[in-house]
Amino acid sequence: MPIYPPAEDSYLMSRILKEQIPHLIKQNPDARFLEIGAGSGIHLQTALSLGIKNENIFSSDIDKRAVSHCNMLGFRCIHSDLFENIRNNYDILVFNPPYLPSDSREPKSSKIATTAGKKGNEIILRFLQQAKSHLNKNGKIFLITSSLSEDVDFSSLGYLAKEIGCEKLFFERLCIWELKKDL
Ligand SMILES: C[S@@+](CC[C@H](N)C(=O)[O-])C[C@H]1O[C@@H](n2cnc3c(N)ncnc32)[C@H](O)[C@@H]1O
């Protein structure tokens, strides 16, 4: 499979970022933005078009092809498994993660972008455990979950969570969560 091409989940995230980022920039014109799993770079382009300064846009992917692609688009993108190679803290963290439970019918080549493990929430849980130490005090995380994977107990991981946009597809419901550190 090529780099994950923008799909329904990407477009839902795009729509939410277009609603939310203008307010966040108003409060903090120097907001630092990090996307984990940037893929095609769709959200990096959205962030730039909404006024986040290019020098404040950072990204990563575990897929080296996505890293090269985003670099070619002019964005800073590094190879990293979640926060492994990420330093510093950010005001806006975005992740459209692999959120599906394993399915033997899924081709190996697309699993890296779509599948998290037996329950479907394994990568999200790892992400949330690591994200807290890279999020500024008033920072926000925008994260997608799917009804096909096991629920995540955000509060037990130390987050205040608000569902801010959902979309019903014919076989699943996707939701975007806005998360803040529960200080
Ligand atoms: C569902 S795709 C989303 C791509 C793009 N952000 C979008 O919304 O269209 C998930 C992306 O996360 C990347 N990814 C998967 N596991 C990762 C990990 N452990 N660390 C960093 N990136 C990861 C995949 O390579 C893929 O590009």
Side-chain angles (χ1 to χ4, degrees):
M1 179 168 153
I3 298 165
Y4 188 79
E8 284 89 348
D9 49 3
S10 322
Y11 297 126
L12 174 61
M13 178 64 88
S14 256
R15 177 166 69 73
I16 295 295
L17 294 180
K18 284 175 188 159
E19 285 169 17
Q20 300 294 325
I21 286 182
H23 304 297
L24 300 176
I25 304 184
K26 228 182 240 167
Q27 292 161 11
N28 176 8
D30 283 313
R32 287 165 54 81
F33 175 103
L34 170 67
E35 181 179 15
I36 301 288
S40 66
I42 174 176
H43 307 311
L44 307 179
Q45 284 168 319
T46 300
L48 186 65
S49 72
L50 292 171
I52 303 229
K53 297 173 185 160
N54 200 358
E55 71 253 33
N56 287 334
I57 298 179
F58 301 85
S59 61
S60 72
D61 205 292
I62 201 168
D63 181 343
K64 288 185 173 161
R65 295 167 312 162
V67 174
S68 308
H69 174 77
C70 291
N71 287 154
M72 236 166 51
L73 294 176
F75 294 107
R76 240 168 308 174
C77 188
I78 61 165
H79 181 239
S80 180
D81 176 1
L82 298 177
F83 291 91
E84 194 179 23
N85 300 321
I86 305 282
R87 306 283 166 262
N88 300 318
N89 284 23
Y90 301 86
D91 303 294
I92 302 170
L93 277 181
V94 172
F95 193 24
N96 174 8
Y99 49 68
L100 293 177
S102 311
D103 179 339
S104 54
R105 291 163 299 178
E106 168 107 36
K108 214 174 160 191
S109 60
S110 58
K111 272 189 179 161
I112 189 172
T114 60
T115 304
K118 231 177 172 175
K119 300 177 178 171
N121 64 7
E122 290 85 345
I123 293 183
I124 290 176
L125 293 176
R126 278 177 56 218
F127 166 82
L128 290 173
Q129 276 147 9
Q130 299 173 21
K132 245 188 289 172
S133 50
H134 294 277
L135 191 62
N136 281 336
K137 189 164 168 252
N138 294 314
K140 289 186 173 171
I141 298 176
F142 297 98
L143 172 73
I144 301 193
T145 62
S146 160
S147 57
L148 297 178
S149 73
E150 194 164 287
D151 285 349
V152 175
D153 181 355
F154 295 110
S155 67
S156 74
L157 292 164
Y159 292 96
L160 295 172
K162 194 162 74 174
E163 217 179 64
I164 54 170
C166 293
E167 193 162 313
K168 176 102 184 66
L169 306 178
F170 77 103
F171 57 96
E172 71 179 326
R173 186 164 183 264
L174 296 175
C175 285
I176 310 264
W177 293 85
E178 180 194 278
L179 306 170
K180 290 192 284 195
K181 282 199 265 195
D182 190 1
L183 299 168

